[in-house]
């Protein structure tokens, strides 16, 4: 099995994703709903990565190296149009006997993202969205003290500090809240139903 070639392929998927994101940031199009080009890249990348995972199992750092493993995580996080694939990857991560610290953090992010799409409280406070005040804020979580304890156990900063960082990054990237938050949320709910996150 040529893990080196597979690693290069996985890193290429990540680079394609990030290049498009960078383009959308520069053009001011990031944050205006789920951009069609981004949706297409995410879907294509997920399909390719799922084929690799079906062949070698989850692409851990032990198998494909740290860079490719982290690239795989990014592709999985962005495969939001494929709920079954995201759930499958979370299950593979959860059942892995030898998780690195980075893989434990990846699992927390993925679990939170799935929880948010399934309208459940997140456990680690990793997922953010625009609120009614035009600020990026954590999606619903269960309890701040428990969230911060869980974050601390993974070596993550406090949720309050992460919120400040996320808002600062959004300013740096010239991201803006949607012009009509209510309409955007309604569109998001319709999209979630269309891809199978909600019924």
């Amino acid at each position: 099995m040529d893990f080196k070639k597979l690693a290069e392929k996985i890193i290429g998927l990540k680079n394609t994703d990030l290049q498009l994101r960078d383009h959308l940031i520069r053009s001011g199009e990031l944050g205006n709903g789920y951009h069609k080009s981004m949706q297409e890249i995410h879907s294509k990348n997920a399909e390719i990565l799922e084929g690799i995972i079906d062949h070698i199992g989850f692409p851990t750092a032990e198998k494909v190296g740290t860079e490719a493993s982290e690239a795989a995580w990014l592709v999985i996080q962005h495969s939001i149009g494929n709920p079954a694939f995201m759930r499958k990857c979370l299950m593979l991560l959860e059942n892995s006997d030898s998780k690195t610290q980075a893989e434990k953090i990846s699992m927390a992010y993925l679990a939170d993202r799935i929880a948010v799409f399934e309208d459940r409280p997140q456990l680690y406070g990793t997922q953010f969205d625009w609120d009614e005040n035009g600020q990026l804020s954590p999606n619903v979580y269960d309890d701040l003290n428990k969230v911060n304890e869980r974050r601390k156990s993974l070596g993550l900063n406090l949720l309050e500090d992460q919120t400040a960082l996320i808002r600062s990054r959004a300013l740096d990237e010239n991201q803006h809240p949607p012009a009509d938050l209510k309409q955007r949320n309604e569109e998001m709910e319709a999209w979630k139903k269309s891809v199978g996150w909600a019924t």
Side-chain angles (χ1 to χ4, degrees):
M1 182 100 38
D2 193 344
F3 285 109
K4 189 168 185 278
K5 277 192 177 174
L6 289 176
E8 288 169 358
K9 189 170 192 176
I10 295 167
I11 292 165
L13 299 178
K14 177 199 78 169
N15 290 340
T16 301
D17 182 314
L18 294 182
Q19 285 164 4
L20 176 60
R21 184 178 189 277
D22 188 52
H23 169 74
L24 294 176
I25 288 169
R26 286 196 315 272
S27 65
E29 297 176 82
L30 189 70
N32 296 328
Y34 194 15
H35 197 280
K36 188 176 181 207
S37 298
M38 187 166 268
Q39 193 168 348
E40 288 168 359
I41 287 283
H42 290 168
S43 179
K44 182 180 175 188
N45 283 355
E47 185 179 339
I48 293 168
L49 183 59
E50 186 166 22
I52 292 170
I53 288 172
D54 287 345
H55 193 54
I56 68 166
F58 195 86
T60 59
E62 189 178 25
K63 288 180 188 172
V64 296
T66 301
E67 185 182 1
S69 183
E70 289 174 358
W73 170 78
L74 181 133
V75 170
I76 294 162
Q77 280 285 100
H78 290 179
S79 62
I80 60 176
N82 191 333
F85 175 58
M86 290 183 79
R87 292 179 183 124
K88 171 181 175 179
C89 290
L90 179 60
M91 186 185 70
L92 288 171
L93 267 173
E94 287 174 339
N95 293 332
S96 171
D97 291 331
S98 56
K99 289 185 279 288
T100 65
Q101 189 65 10
E103 287 163 352
K104 288 177 185 175
I105 291 170
S106 297
M107 190 172 70
Y109 272 81
L110 183 56
D112 272 1
R113 179 157 281 200
I114 290 171
V116 167
F117 281 122
E118 292 178 345
D119 294 319
R120 294 183 288 108
Q122 54 178 334
L123 299 179
Y124 297 90
T126 63
Q127 305 300 299
F128 285 70
D129 202 355
W130 298 103
D131 65 20
E132 61 279 356
N133 299 314
Q135 295 281 343
L136 279 169
S137 294
N139 288 92
V140 174
Y141 51 85
D142 62 348
D143 175 89
L144 181 59
N145 289 331
K146 289 179 181 175
V147 166
N148 278 330
E149 283 172 21
R150 294 181 196 116
R151 291 178 67 85
K152 186 178 177 184
S153 74
L154 293 174
L156 298 173
N157 59 357
L158 295 176
L159 184 55
E160 299 90 319
D161 296 334
Q162 184 64 13
T163 301
L165 284 173
I166 292 283
R167 290 176 178 174
S168 175
R169 185 187 314 152
L171 281 175
D172 291 344
E173 293 179 347
N174 201 27
Q175 292 186 46
H176 302 286
D180 187 334
L181 183 63
K182 184 174 182 285
Q183 179 185 343
R184 188 273 205 151
N185 288 343
E186 287 170 357
E187 288 169 356
M188 177 62 79
E189 287 305 310
W191 173 82
K192 281 163 60 177
K193 287 179 182 174
S194 75
V195 298
W197 284 116
T199 53

